[in-house]
């Protein structure tokens, strides 16, 4: 019953269900013997849902062992607790699995707790991850030809083919007593023989009935069909010890992989294989990992016992080696062996010595091991070997930078011992080197830095003694160009590429004009201005004059008219102004009810609308002059003003001002209407009504529109036939009248010509639009808000009453 309950418990533990009780609760109930009937029924329901095929291992022989091997491989390396042991202090987030395994004493049941992924011990012991790597299983290849040294045993299927003058095929499985049966021959013992030996025995036996085997007229071949399964026992410091059923081609390393590898206490330096009760082999896995010695991966036999003892010595190496981690050491192995295991020093290592920390008698002791003693210093269990790095300091390096041809670092050697030799090693000074003073940075004995000033002119001429170099000296040779501000000149105005340009000595205005791509067509050559900074570094007074100004006249060939070139100085600014008579063409557009619609040039300044209408052949008889309107493009200055206005309104709105305007009310597009009175402009040319036109204006003269459109807060917005003399209320009533939210006194009228009139008394004209604004709709208070308000009021009243009671 206990075994049944346990199996039910494991099935429930791996089932994923939001309604099931937690694994920990079920485990505690099982341990305390308090499982209720409902819990037992729950466990029975979960048993059918359990999927344990990845860890179940059953004892069966003569079957397909390759499929069974795949089932046993999954997750065994993660099992940290086996058997019926105390379940307290286990990490949360893991799961229990139920396992049946073979043991020397028969079937046994075990419980394993699999750690959550984030809680597993990521061992840093060298080699321990080799048998937990899913990509490195050491699984035998069952598809290759059976090797001649393979030892046959009960369960192996052998195939004997005879061909030539006689033909025969025998397929037989070796019986438990080690024999196969051949017709006309009888039983033949093959168990315990290698494939080569069994082939020789069969040849000898079959010669009695096939004489051709002796003279070659008959051929015989022994091959293997399916292979048998073997059972090996794995004990000691492995993740999952027990009896495992493996293919007969399995090796030691494959068995260790199936068992989940060695645990943190297990040794890789002395894995023992016992065969027939005797020690068969003592395997050092490091020999395989480090030297590639594949003979260490020994083929297993049925009944082999693999034992993994605890490690003898575990040593850590840190610092500047290629694989800093823990390594298992054998007796007598030294620091040199450990460094070899760790892949040798890296490029930053101090190869002359290492430090060893050892715990002795409850205290720590430190040892410094020189390179000469690496092969003699024997390591002990728990030692920590630290490999330091190189010192960031050079023994013989000096540097030079600045106005030399090959700046960089150089070694103090037989050819470079002095400062002058260093300069020559750098291919000498450039022509722009600042000779009066170079800076030599020199390191003092206390590692502080001092500066020495060097007169390069005297040094190179031999007037002053040469200076002997010291390690880490650094010479800085300044360039004359680097000793002053970068010189530039600027050109602005009517040139192709107005910009700031590098200054060059003897640069003229003409040169700068060419660099700027020449003059534009709009440029004035009669008034080119040059401004120049006033420079007086020794002045102690403020000058009222800010800069000097010069005027230059140039001709079409970009030469100064008087023939004298104007030479620029650093930071001069040249201004090329626009010619006052250079005007680009501008035009307006006239469309609608005019004789000749189209584009018309603005041929003179302040050209008015009546002149353009006259140029278009005047309006047609069907024109509705009263409704003519004008659309105008916004200038750059108007766009800037509009943006500034919008920014101001937005800032007021963000500040929570109650007087802030509505942004929609001031939104201006790039094209906007201009209210005009074309009839008065045509009747009184030159009057205020006859407005001055601008480039891009569009004048539209529509046909008569005999309707009035009513929009906004009315019951039925629509268009109403115009009736002379009728007031605004007439047209609103024709649209169903005002609705409940209408602001009647704020009604306004937009006429076809762009004019606007407000109020109920506004005159109604053909083609106009009547707009009735509406009041802002307030959100009603919800029931939840009402309850919250009442609750707040009640709470406030309770506080007030409490205060009054305290004051009595």
């Amino acid at each position: 019953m206990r075994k049944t309950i346990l199996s039910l418990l494991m099935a429930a533990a791996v089932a994923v269900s939001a309604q099931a009780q937690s694994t920990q609760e079920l485990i505690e109930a099982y341990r305390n013997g308090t499982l209720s009937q409902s819990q037992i029924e729950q466990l029975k329901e979960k048993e059918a849902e359990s999927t344990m095929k990845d860890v179940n291992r059953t004892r069966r022989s003569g079957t397909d062992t390759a499929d069974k091997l795949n089932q046993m491989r999954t997750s065994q390396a993660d099992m940290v607790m086996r058997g019926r042991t105390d379940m307290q202090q286990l990490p949360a987030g893991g799961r229990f699995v139920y396992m049946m395994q073979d043991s020397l004493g028969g079937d046994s049941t075990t419980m394993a707790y699999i750690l959550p992924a984030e809680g597993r011990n990521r061992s840093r012991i060298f080699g321990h991850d080799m048998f937990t790597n899913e990509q490195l299983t050491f699984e035998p290849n069952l598809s290759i030809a059976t090797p001649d040294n393979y030892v046959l045993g009960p369960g192996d299927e052998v195939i004997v083919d005879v061909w030539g003058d006689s033909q025969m095929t025998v397929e037989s499985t070796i019986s438990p007593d080690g024999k196969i049966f051949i017709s006309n021959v009888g039983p033949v013992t093959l168990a315990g023989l290698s494939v080569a030996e069994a082939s020789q025995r069969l040849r000898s036996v079959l010669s009695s009935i096939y004489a051709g085997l002796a003279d070659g007229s008959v051929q015989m071949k022994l091959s293997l069909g399916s292979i048998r399964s073997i059972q090996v026992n794995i004990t000691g410091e492995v993740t999952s010890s027990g009896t495992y059923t493996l293919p007969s081609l399995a090796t030691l390393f494959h068995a260790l992989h199936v068992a989940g590898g060695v645990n943190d206490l297990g040794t890789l330096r002395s894995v023992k294989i016992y065969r027939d009760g005797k020690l068969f082999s003592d395997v050092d896995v490091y020999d395989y990992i480090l030297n590639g010695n594949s003979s260490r991966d020994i083929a297993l036999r049925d009944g082999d016992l693999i034992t993994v003892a605890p490690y003898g010595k575990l040593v850590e190496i840190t610092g500047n080696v290629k694989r800093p981690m823990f390594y298992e050491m054998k007796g007598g192995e030294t620091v040199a062996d450990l460094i070899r295991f760790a892949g040798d020093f890296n490029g930053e290592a101090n190869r002359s010595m290492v430090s060893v920390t050892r715990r002795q008698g409850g205290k720590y002791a430190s040892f410094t091991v020189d390179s000469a003693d690496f092969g003699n210093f024997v390591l002990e269990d728990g030692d920590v070997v630290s490999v330091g790095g190189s010192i960031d300091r050079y023994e013989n390096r000096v540097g030079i930078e600045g106005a030399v041809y090959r700046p960089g670092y150089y070694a103090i050697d037989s050819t470079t011992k002095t400062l002058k030799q260093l300069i020559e090693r750098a291919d000498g000074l450039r022509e722009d080197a600042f000779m009066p003073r170079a800076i030599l940075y020199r390191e003092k004995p206390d590692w502080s830095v001092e500066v020495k000033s060097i007169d390069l002119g005297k040094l190179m001429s031999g007037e002053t003694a040469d200076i002997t170099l010291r390690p880490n000296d650094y010479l800085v040779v300044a360039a004359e160009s680097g000793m002053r501000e970068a010189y530039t000149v600027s050109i602005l105005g009517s040139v192709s590429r107005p910009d700031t340009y590098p200054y060059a000595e003897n640069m003229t205005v003409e040169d700068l004009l060419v660099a700027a791509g020449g003059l534009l067509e709009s440029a004035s050559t009669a008034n080119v201005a040059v401004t120049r900074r006033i420079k007086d570094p020794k002045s102690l007074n403020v000058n009222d004059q800010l800069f000097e100004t010069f005027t230059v006249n140039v001709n079409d060939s970009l030469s100064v008219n008087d023939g004298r070139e104007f030479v620029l100085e650093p930071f001069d600014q040249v201004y090329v102004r626009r010619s006052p008579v250079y005007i680009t063409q501008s035009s307006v557009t006239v469309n609608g009810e005019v004789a000749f619609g189209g584009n018309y040039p603005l041929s003179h300044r302040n050209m008015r609308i009546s002149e353009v209408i006259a140029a278009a052949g005047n309006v047609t008889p069907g024109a509705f002059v009263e409704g003519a309107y004008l659309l105008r493009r916004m200038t750059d200055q108007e766009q800037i003003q509009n943006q500034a206005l919008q920014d101001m309104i937005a800032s007021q709105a963000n500040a929570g001002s109650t007087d802030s305007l509505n942004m929609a009310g001031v939104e201006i597009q790039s094209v906007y209407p201009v209210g005009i009175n074309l009839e008065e402009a045509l009747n009184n040319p030159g009057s205020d009504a006859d407005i001055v036109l601008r480039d891009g204006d569009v004048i539209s003269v529509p046909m008569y529109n005999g309707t009035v459109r009513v929009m906004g807060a009315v019951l039925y917005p629509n268009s109403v036939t115009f009736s002379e003399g009728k007031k605004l209320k007439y047209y609103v009533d024709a649209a169903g009248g005002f609705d409940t939210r209408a602001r009647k006194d704020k009604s306004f009228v937009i006429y076809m010509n762009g004019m606007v009139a407000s109020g109920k008394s506004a005159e109604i004209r053909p083609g106009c639009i009547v707009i009735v604004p509406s009041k802002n709709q307030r959100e009603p208070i919800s029931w939840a808000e009402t309850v919250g308000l009442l609750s707040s009021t009640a709470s406030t009243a309770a506080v007030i009453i409490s205060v009054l009671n305290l004051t009595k």
Side-chain angles (χ1 to χ4, degrees), residues 15-66:
V16 181
S17 174
Q19 291 77 22
Q21 297 187 29
S22 69
T23 301
Q24 187 61 35
E25 293 175 347
L26 296 174
I27 292 296
E28 289 297 324
Y30 167 71
R31 292 175 62 241
N32 299 330
T34 59
L35 279 172
S36 64
Q37 185 60 38
S38 62
Q39 288 175 320
I40 294 175
E41 294 297 325
Q42 183 184 11
L43 293 174
K44 289 180 179 180
E45 294 175 1
K46 296 303 179 183
E47 184 179 23
E49 302 172 9
S50 175
T51 55
M52 309 304 297
K53 63 181 178 180
D54 57 337
V55 292
N56 285 343
R57 295 195 300 270
T58 59
R59 184 175 55 187
R60 57 193 179 101
S61 61
T63 58
D64 188 356
T65 56

Side-chain angles (χ1 to χ4, degrees), residues 230-242:
I230 63 173
Q231 288 185 342
V232 295
N233 300 310
I234 305 176
T235 63
E237 301 300 333
V238 292
T239 302
S240 300
S241 60

Side-chain angles (χ1 to χ4, degrees), residues 671-688:
V671 176
Y672 59 94
V674 177
I676 62 174
N677 189 336
L678 182 59
E679 184 176 7
E680 183 177 350
L682 296 178
N683 294 333
N684 300 290
S687 64
D688 292 339

Side-chain angles (χ1 to χ4, degrees), residues 265-565:
L265 297 179
T267 179
L268 290 177
R269 307 301 305 277
S270 181
V271 179
K272 293 182 173 60
I273 301 176
Y274 291 89
R275 184 169 294 171
D276 298 328
K278 298 179 181 180
L279 178 63
F280 176 74
S281 180
D282 191 342
V283 178
D284 184 352
V285 181
Y286 275 22
D287 192 20
Y288 173 83
I289 300 174
L290 298 172
N291 304 320
N293 187 356
S294 59
S295 64
R296 297 298 185 181
D297 193 12
I298 296 172
L300 298 176
R301 300 279 182 87
D302 190 36
D304 279 355
L305 172 64
I306 302 170
T307 63
V308 179
Y311 64 80
K313 299 179 182 180
L314 194 62
V315 177
E316 183 181 11
I317 185 169
T318 64
N320 291 280
V321 290
K322 295 175 181 176
R323 281 194 301 265
M325 59 193 309
F326 288 90
Y327 292 86
E328 187 184 345
M329 309 296 292
K330 284 185 175 181
E333 289 184 331
T334 63
V335 170
D337 296 315
L338 178 62
I339 294 173
R340 178 170 58 86
F341 293 165
D344 210 342
F345 298 110
N346 63 23
E348 297 294 326
N350 176 15
R351 298 169 180 263
S352 63
M353 49 125 349
V354 298
S355 297
V356 180
T357 302
R358 176 175 296 170
R359 190 172 185 88
Q360 291 181 334
K363 296 183 179 179
Y364 287 101
S366 181
F367 302 89
T368 300
V369 184
D370 295 327
S371 58
D373 296 325
F374 285 174
N376 301 322
F377 191 92
V378 178
L379 296 171
E380 300 295 337
D381 184 33
D383 283 356
V384 178
V385 179
S386 177
V387 180
S390 58
I391 301 175
D392 189 14
R393 185 176 176 83
Y394 294 89
E395 295 180 349
N396 63 338
R397 190 180 76 165
V398 291
I400 184 171
E401 73 170 39
V404 292
Y405 284 103
R406 296 187 185 277
Y409 290 99
Y410 295 90
I412 301 176
D413 52 24
S414 58
T415 60
T416 308
K417 296 181 179 180
T418 66
L419 197 61
K420 187 175 180 180
Q421 290 175 335
L422 174 62
I423 295 173
E424 292 172 350
R425 188 71 177 271
D427 280 354
L429 299 169
R430 295 201 316 245
E431 288 74 8
D432 63 338
F434 184 69
M435 303 298 288
R437 184 180 294 267
I439 302 174
L440 177 63
Y441 293 93
R442 171 158 287 179
E443 193 175 86
K444 297 168 64 176
D446 61 355
W447 288 27
S448 63
V449 178
E450 64 177 343
V451 171
K452 289 183 177 295
S453 300
I454 310 297
D455 188 327
L456 291 177
K458 294 181 178 181
L459 176 70
M460 302 307 291
S461 65
E463 296 181 37
T464 60
D466 204 353
I467 299 175
T468 302
L469 292 173
R470 295 180 185 175
N472 297 313
D473 278 356
Y474 199 86
L475 180 65
V476 178
V477 181
E480 289 187 353
S481 58
M483 301 288 290
R484 56 174 170 80
E485 184 180 357
Y487 288 167
T488 61
V489 289
S490 301
I491 185 168
L492 307 170
S494 297
V495 292
S496 297
R497 294 187 295 271
D499 205 345
T500 298
Y501 294 86
Y503 170 79
E505 192 173 351
N506 296 322
M507 191 176 194
T508 65
V509 170
E510 297 91 324
D511 297 329
L512 184 58
L513 288 172
V514 173
L519 300 173
L520 298 179
E521 289 291 330
S522 60
S524 171
T525 60
N527 191 11
V528 177
V530 180
T531 60
R532 178 168 295 166
R533 296 179 182 180
I534 299 175
K535 290 174 279 189
D536 187 2
K538 297 182 180 181
S539 176
L540 300 176
N541 300 317
V542 178
N543 194 343
D544 291 337
Q545 185 179 359
L546 300 179
F547 48 81
E548 295 181 273
T549 303
F550 307 90
T551 302
V552 180
N553 296 330
V554 297
N555 54 33
D556 294 338
S557 62
L558 302 183
S559 300
V560 178
N561 284 337
D562 57 7
R564 293 181 299 173
E565 292 184 338

Side-chain angles (χ1 to χ4, degrees), residues 754-777:
M755 299 291 189
V756 178
S758 61
K760 295 180 181 179
S761 60
E763 182 182 4
I764 306 300
R765 299 300 302 157
C768 69
I769 302 175
V770 177
I771 305 293
V772 180
S774 62
K775 300 175 183 178
N776 292 331
Q777 185 175 2

Side-chain angles (χ1 to χ4, degrees), residues 549-808:
T549 303
F550 307 90
T551 302
V552 180
N553 296 330
V554 297
N555 54 33
D556 294 338
S557 62
L558 302 183
S559 300
V560 178
N561 284 337
D562 57 7
R564 293 181 299 173
E565 292 184 338
F566 189 92
V567 179
L568 298 173
E569 292 186 4
F571 308 112
D572 279 357
Q573 289 188 344
V574 179
Y575 300 86
V576 180
R577 297 185 175 89
R578 183 186 179 93
S579 174
V581 298
Y582 187 86
I583 304 295
T584 58
Q585 292 89 338
S586 57
S587 64
V588 296
T589 302
V590 181
N591 56 41
E593 295 302 312
V594 293
F596 303 99
N599 295 329
Y600 290 86
L602 297 178
S603 57
H604 61 84
R605 298 180 186 275
N606 298 328
M607 191 170 181
R608 297 179 181 270
I609 191 172
S610 60
E611 298 177 84
V612 174
I613 295 296
N618 289 317
V619 299
T620 64
F624 183 51
V625 178
E626 179 184 336
Y629 60 90
L630 185 148
L631 295 178
R632 175 160 290 175
R633 256 197 329 249
M634 187 180 295
T635 64
D636 293 341
Q637 183 178 3
E638 288 172 335
Q639 290 180 359
I640 293 174
Q641 293 174 346
N642 180 49
Q643 185 61 47
L645 178 61
Q646 292 188 25
D647 292 343
M648 180 190 68
I649 295 172
S651 64
Q652 290 180 351
N654 293 335
S657 173
T658 56
D659 297 330
S660 60
L661 298 174
N662 186 353
M663 283 292 296
V666 295
E667 189 74 25
I668 301 177
Q669 304 299 324
S670 59
V671 176
Y672 59 94
V674 177
I676 62 174
N677 189 336
L678 182 59
E679 184 176 7
E680 183 177 350
L682 296 178
N683 294 333
N684 300 290
S687 64
D688 292 339
D690 193 11
I691 65 173
V692 176
L693 296 176
R694 253 174 25 191
D695 182 33
D697 283 353
V698 178
I699 304 168
S700 293
V701 182
M703 298 176 63
Y704 178 78
N705 184 354
T707 63
V708 175
R709 190 174 180 185
V710 183
M711 303 175 62
V714 292
L715 295 179
Y716 186 71
N718 64 354
S719 294
V720 181
T721 303
F722 173 75
S723 180
E724 188 69 40
K726 297 295 184 180
K727 299 295 182 183
L728 183 143
K729 188 175 184 307
Y730 166 80
Y731 296 99
V732 171
D733 290 343
F738 297 107
D739 70 7
T740 56
R741 296 183 294 109
R743 301 184 66 179
K744 303 175 184 179
D745 55 340
K746 299 296 183 181
S747 301
F748 60 95
V749 179
I750 302 175
Y751 300 104
M752 288 187 68
N753 63 359
M755 299 291 189
V756 178
S758 61
K760 295 180 181 179
S761 60
E763 182 182 4
I764 306 300
R765 299 300 302 157
C768 69
I769 302 175
V770 177
I771 305 293
V772 180
S774 62
K775 300 175 183 178
N776 292 331
Q777 185 175 2
R778 295 183 179 181
E779 294 291 337
I781 299 177
S782 66
W783 174 248
E785 292 174 330
T786 303
V787 172
L789 182 61
L790 293 175
S791 299
S792 176
T793 304
S795 300
T796 304
V799 172
I800 295 174
I801 293 172
S802 298
V803 172
L804 292 177
N805 290 334
L806 291 173
T807 57
K808 289 181 179 180

